[in-house]
Amino acid sequence: MASPSLAAAAASPLTSLDLATSPASASRPAAAAASALRKRPVLLLDQRPHPSTPNLDSSAAAAAAAAAAGVAQAQPPPPRRKKAGHTSSSTRPRWQTALSVAAKNAVLLALLLYVGDLAWRAARPAPPRPVDQAAMAGYDARVADVEASLARAFRMLQVQLEAVDRKIDGEVGAVRGDLAALLEEKRLELEGQLKRLDARADDLSDALGALKRMEFLRKDEFDKFWNEVKESLGSGPGTEVDLDQVRALAREITMGEIEKHAADGIGRVDYAVASAGGKVVRHSDAYDAGKRGGFFSSLLSGDTAASPKKILQPSFGEPGQCFPLQGSSGFVEIKLRKGIVPDAITLEHVSKDVAYDMSTAPKDCRVSGWYQEAHNEAYSGHAASAKMYVLTEFTYDLDKKNVQTFDITAPDVGIINMVRLDFTSNHGSSALTCIYRIRVHGHEPVSPGMSVSQS
């Protein structure tokens, strides 16, 4: 709403004519009057009615005009223009001050109202909005869809895992089978190698046994032998021996040894040979040659064919020149030519290169010995007054030579003159077992007072 001063000013506007005819401006020059007009504020108000402002009545208009005229007359004349360098300040009107204060108060009031509204809203929060049931139903449906998708994915993953497990089990089973087959193959190969190694170990054991039986010369024995060689050549101890003489002597010794070896095949004295006085005194049941068929009846014919004396004579490697015993087990008792200290037993069979059948060869054997007095020579039953001692046990091996020698393993063996060979099995034949030759090796006692193996 407009103030009364503004309304009065609007009712009586000042024109340039009134300003020019005022008493104060009559005595000033025209230039001062024009300068005063430029400095005085001129307020021109629109006299047209405003749609938002109510029309003033005539009395109010007249009062406003009178007030304006009075204000105009009461205004002092404008101050005289000062010289350059001095500034003049006009006094601010009251209505402008009142308007400024009112505007500030209005702004402050609006600010207070805004702060109070904010505080009220903070103290009393807005009530929660009502739950939208349709939105909740849609959310539950989406959650259900996600759960169903997860369940399907889990089932698919489980099926894939089961398929992978089955595939892995199949591959592992195949690998296990291959590994088992490979291990079995390696095991069989290793067993074969072990068997070959065992055979070679047996051969090595036999070789070591033969090496132990060899008599090596010591240095003093060799010196003695060399002196004897020199004496046999007619040379003195200080003379040198010609190489040709040594060769001739070596040839003579070698020929003697060859003759000795050719005499019995192995070069060892046999105290059971029949030509020197050995004889078979007792044996198990002999195989009946009359019931044989085929080549046995042609080879073993006549009175001497089944004689036990054959096992004490050279067989010269001829098949069928043996003494056959009934069945796969039996025994033979042999009287030696004289009492000896036994060293080894030799069992001979026909060579497998010329044999018709190797199943009749004896296999597991045991050799016993004792000393039989001369007055008990014609006895009924073995060792009537003597006790037998086991001299050795052995197995006749077909993979080795046909003439196999086995050392006496019994300790402290005395003098014996009786030997018994027991065989408990052969190499497969159930009808008969063939004994080709038995030899007993040893040495004669050094003195007559040597102990005798008897009870």
Side-chain angles (χ1 to χ4, degrees):
M1 178 183 292
S3 61
S5 60
L6 291 177
S12 57
L14 298 179
T15 61
S16 61
L17 183 58
D18 294 333
L19 293 176
T21 58
S22 62
S25 63
S27 62
R28 295 186 184 95
S35 177
L37 283 175
R38 285 194 303 268
K39 290 183 179 181
R40 288 178 63 89
V42 179
L43 182 59
L44 298 179
L45 297 177
D46 192 0
Q47 300 297 329
R48 291 177 298 178
H50 197 273
S52 61
T53 305
N55 295 326
L56 300 175
D57 51 5
S58 59
S59 60
V71 171
Q73 291 178 3
Q75 285 183 352
R80 186 173 296 191
R81 188 176 181 181
K82 295 182 180 180
K83 294 181 181 180
H86 296 276
T87 60
S88 62
S89 61
S90 60
T91 303
R92 188 174 182 180
R94 291 183 177 180
W95 64 270
Q96 290 183 0
T97 302
L99 182 60
S100 176
V101 171
K104 292 179 180 179
N105 290 335
V107 171
L108 182 60
L109 180 60
L111 183 61
L112 291 176
L113 291 176
Y114 177 72
V115 172
D117 182 67
L118 290 178
W120 182 79
R121 289 178 181 275
R124 296 185 64 183
R129 294 182 299 176
V131 179
D132 192 354
Q133 298 297 331
M136 290 299 296
Y139 178 76
D140 293 338
R142 292 180 63 185
V143 170
D145 292 340
V146 172
E147 290 179 352
S149 300
L150 290 176
R152 287 193 299 271
F154 179 75
R155 285 194 298 270
M156 292 176 62
L157 182 61
Q158 188 174 5
V159 170
Q160 292 178 358
L161 288 177
E162 291 176 356
V164 171
D165 289 339
R166 287 193 297 270
K167 185 176 180 180
I168 291 176
D169 292 339
E171 292 180 354
V172 170
V175 171
R176 286 180 179 175
D178 295 340
L179 183 60
L182 181 61
L183 290 178
E184 183 65 19
E185 181 181 357
K186 294 297 183 182
R187 184 185 67 81
L188 295 176
E189 183 180 356
L190 182 61
E191 287 182 356
Q193 293 178 357
L194 288 177
K195 288 180 180 179
R196 291 192 295 271
L197 185 61
D198 290 340
R200 296 183 64 182
D202 294 338
D203 295 340
L204 181 61
S205 178
D206 295 340
L208 290 176
L211 187 62
K212 289 180 180 178
R213 290 193 298 268
M214 293 181 180
E215 296 179 358
F216 295 97
L217 294 178
R218 297 191 301 272
K219 186 177 184 301
D220 55 348
E221 294 177 349
F222 179 76
D223 293 339
K224 182 179 179 181
F225 168 75
W226 186 244
N227 292 330
E228 291 177 356
V229 169
K230 288 182 178 181
E231 291 177 359
S232 63
L233 293 176
S235 301
T239 60
E240 295 182 357
V241 178
D242 188 15
L243 183 59
D244 294 334
Q245 295 176 349
V246 174
R247 288 177 178 174
L249 180 62
R251 186 180 300 108
E252 182 180 354
I253 294 174
T254 303
M255 292 303 295
E257 291 295 328
I258 290 175
E259 291 177 358
K260 180 181 177 181
H261 182 76
D264 201 23
I266 59 175
R268 302 185 69 171
V269 178
D270 181 13
Y271 288 93
V273 65
S275 61
K279 59 182 178 179
V280 177
V281 298
R282 190 165 175 265
H283 58 79
S284 60
D285 295 338
Y287 186 73
D288 190 358
K291 297 181 180 179
R292 298 184 184 185
F295 68 95
F296 283 107
S297 60
S298 61
L299 291 176
L300 301 178
S301 60
D303 296 337
T304 59
S307 174
K309 188 178 179 179
K310 281 185 172 293
I311 66 176
L312 303 179
Q313 296 175 344
S315 62
F316 301 105
E318 297 181 6
Q321 297 298 320
C322 66
F323 179 57
L325 297 176
Q326 183 74 33
S328 60
S329 61
F331 70 93
V332 176
E333 292 183 1
I334 303 170
K335 181 176 176 57
L336 306 179
R337 65 179 301 270
K338 64 183 301 185
I340 63 169
V341 179
D343 292 334
I345 303 293
T346 298
L347 181 61
E348 180 179 348
H349 197 76
V350 66
S351 175
K352 60 183 177 181
D353 296 331
V354 298
Y356 299 103
D357 184 10
M358 295 295 292
S359 65
T360 59
K363 185 177 181 181
D364 298 321
C365 303
R366 181 179 66 251
V367 179
S368 306
W370 70 95
Y371 188 85
Q372 184 69 45
E373 296 293 343
H375 63 274
N376 291 331
E377 183 175 349
Y379 65 95
S380 174
H382 67 85
S385 62
K387 182 179 179 181
M388 290 190 303
Y389 293 90
V390 177
L391 302 179
T392 184
E393 293 181 353
F394 60 88
T395 299
Y396 186 84
D397 192 353
L398 295 181
D399 295 332
K400 298 179 181 179
K401 297 179 180 180
N402 62 316
V403 180
Q404 300 181 19
T405 301
F406 304 94
D407 294 333
I408 300 299
T409 58
D412 301 330
V413 179
I415 301 174
I416 64 170
N417 62 355
M418 297 292 296
V419 172
R420 176 187 171 104
L421 172 68
D422 290 276
F423 58 92
T424 58
S425 64
N426 59 17
H427 284 273
S429 177
S430 60
L432 73 158
T433 301
C434 291
I435 306 296
Y436 276 79
R437 188 177 178 185
I438 299 175
R439 310 182 203 185
V440 180
H441 312 292
H443 59 274
E444 297 180 7
V446 178
S447 62
M450 192 173 183
S451 61
V452 179
S453 295
Q454 60 181 355
S455 58

